[in-house]
Amino acid sequence: MTLSEPLLYADEPAAFTVSNPDGKSPFLILCDHAGKRIPRRLGDLGLTDADISRHIGWDIGALAVSQLLSQSLDATLVSQTYSRLVIDCNRTPGVESSIPQLSEDTVIPGNQGISPQQKESRRREIFTPYHDQIRQILEQRRLRGQMTCILAMHSFTPVYLGVPRPWHIGVLYNRLKAYPHALLAQLAARDQWVVGDNQPYAVSDATDYALPQHAEKNALPAVEIELRQDLIADSAGQARWAQDLDSLFRDAWKHYQQKTL
């Protein structure tokens, strides 16, 4: 593509999808790595379809679980259309992992040596519209007095660079601990899963964008959820986890409100 061309053709889908925009619950679901689409101007980034369909391309199963939760919780869902390999919508633009040249152990040929203008087009057409939409929804909820608890939905690989990961679910957070701790208490009470407390990742300003920007800066309760991909790889697993998370999120919200209101 030339520097003057837009990244996305006019007939390509928008950078985000909003599901259940009139959801009445306090929950707002974000799915930063929902899609694996590559803009046509970028071809296949030099990768095979199999590589793009791996975890390096998207969070396998996360969108399906998020869509089921959007329905059952009556929650608005904002999901990203394009692959994290084009630009990662949970990274601050400009950091090394924003447009990765290497993801896990895979070189991304289409991200090698791209110009500042090409990086900017990815930010402008994919990253910014997604996060502007989230900001708009948050402002609309604030104006109508609707409480908000952000649920950022992700998934992780059972094995990372040869190391097995034992957790079934990870509860991730940083500065705002009250709702995540209420959720951890609910998970512990059920004693059904191996639970990661800020495992296999933890939220930080250096490694995350969505929760620091949309939750912490607005003092909104929030949690980032990581589900192990082999547990949500098919429709049965997705439905099972959506059902369990529905009640866990609701019960944690009740306990959070009792302690904070």
Side-chain angles (χ1 to χ4, degrees):
M1 59 181 288
T2 66
L3 299 184
S4 61
E5 289 177 326
L7 175 62
L8 299 177
Y9 286 103
D11 64 341
E12 290 188 280
F16 60 85
T17 298
V18 179
S19 305
N20 194 14
D22 300 318
K24 299 298 189 293
S25 86
F27 299 110
L28 172 63
I29 304 171
L30 308 182
C31 200
D32 301 328
H33 304 143
K36 58 179 178 177
R37 190 182 184 100
I38 309 292
R40 291 206 303 274
R41 291 194 195 277
L42 301 182
D44 55 14
L45 291 176
L47 299 169
T48 65
D49 288 342
D51 276 332
I52 295 169
S53 296
R54 290 167 46 211
H55 177 70
I56 65 170
W58 63 326
D59 275 358
I60 296 166
L63 177 60
V65 175
S66 298
Q67 290 170 328
L68 292 169
L69 284 168
S70 174
Q71 297 168 13
S72 67
L73 291 170
D74 191 19
T76 298
L77 163 64
V78 188
S79 55
Q80 170 57 236
T81 306
Y82 292 91
S83 172
R84 69 202 305 172
L85 296 174
V86 178
I87 187 167
D88 193 322
C89 285
N90 194 34
R91 299 290 186 274
T92 300
V95 303
E96 186 176 354
S97 57
S98 169
I99 300 176
Q101 297 185 53
L102 179 72
S103 185
E104 296 183 7
D105 56 357
T106 302
V107 173
I108 316 301
N111 289 347
Q112 307 294 316
I114 63 175
S115 69
Q117 293 90 343
Q118 290 168 325
K119 293 178 182 179
E120 172 61 17
S121 72
R122 299 190 193 189
R123 185 201 64 79
R124 183 180 62 248
E125 296 188 46
I126 294 177
F127 180 95
T128 297
Y130 173 70
H131 287 289
D132 281 353
Q133 180 63 39
I134 295 168
R135 291 186 178 94
Q136 179 181 330
I137 289 171
L138 288 173
E139 178 63 9
Q140 291 168 345
R141 293 169 74 98
R142 186 188 69 81
L143 290 173
R144 62 176 176 260
Q146 183 174 1
M147 284 193 268
T148 295
C149 177
I150 295 177
L151 309 174
M153 299 297 298
H154 294 262
S155 67
F156 67 97
T157 56
V159 177
Y160 180 71
L161 298 179
V163 179
R165 290 160 149 180
W167 310 282
H168 300 125
I169 180 174
V171 176
L172 281 52
Y173 55 94
N174 186 17
R175 297 176 182 90
L176 302 178
K177 299 178 174 63
Y179 184 74
H181 283 182
L183 182 59
L184 285 166
Q186 293 300 312
L187 285 159
R190 299 198 188 188
D191 194 25
Q192 294 177 239
W193 305 284
V194 179
V195 178
D197 183 345
N198 268 336
Q199 293 286 354
Y201 311 106
V203 175
S204 74
D205 295 336
T207 58
D208 294 79
Y209 183 90
L211 287 197
Q213 290 293 319
H214 299 304
E216 293 183 344
K217 286 192 173 181
N218 294 306
L220 295 174
V223 67
E224 186 171 318
I225 296 297
E226 290 277 357
L227 298 173
R228 208 175 70 199
Q229 288 170 358
D230 59 318
L231 304 178
I232 55 171
D234 58 27
S235 58
Q238 292 155 7
R240 185 163 52 249
W241 271 99
Q243 183 177 16
D244 287 334
L245 287 171
D246 177 292
S247 59
L248 286 162
F249 287 147
R250 291 178 190 269
D251 291 345
W253 180 248
K254 291 176 186 175
H255 285 271
Y256 168 81
Q257 287 185 299
Q258 290 171 0
K259 289 187 175 182
T260 61
L261 298 182

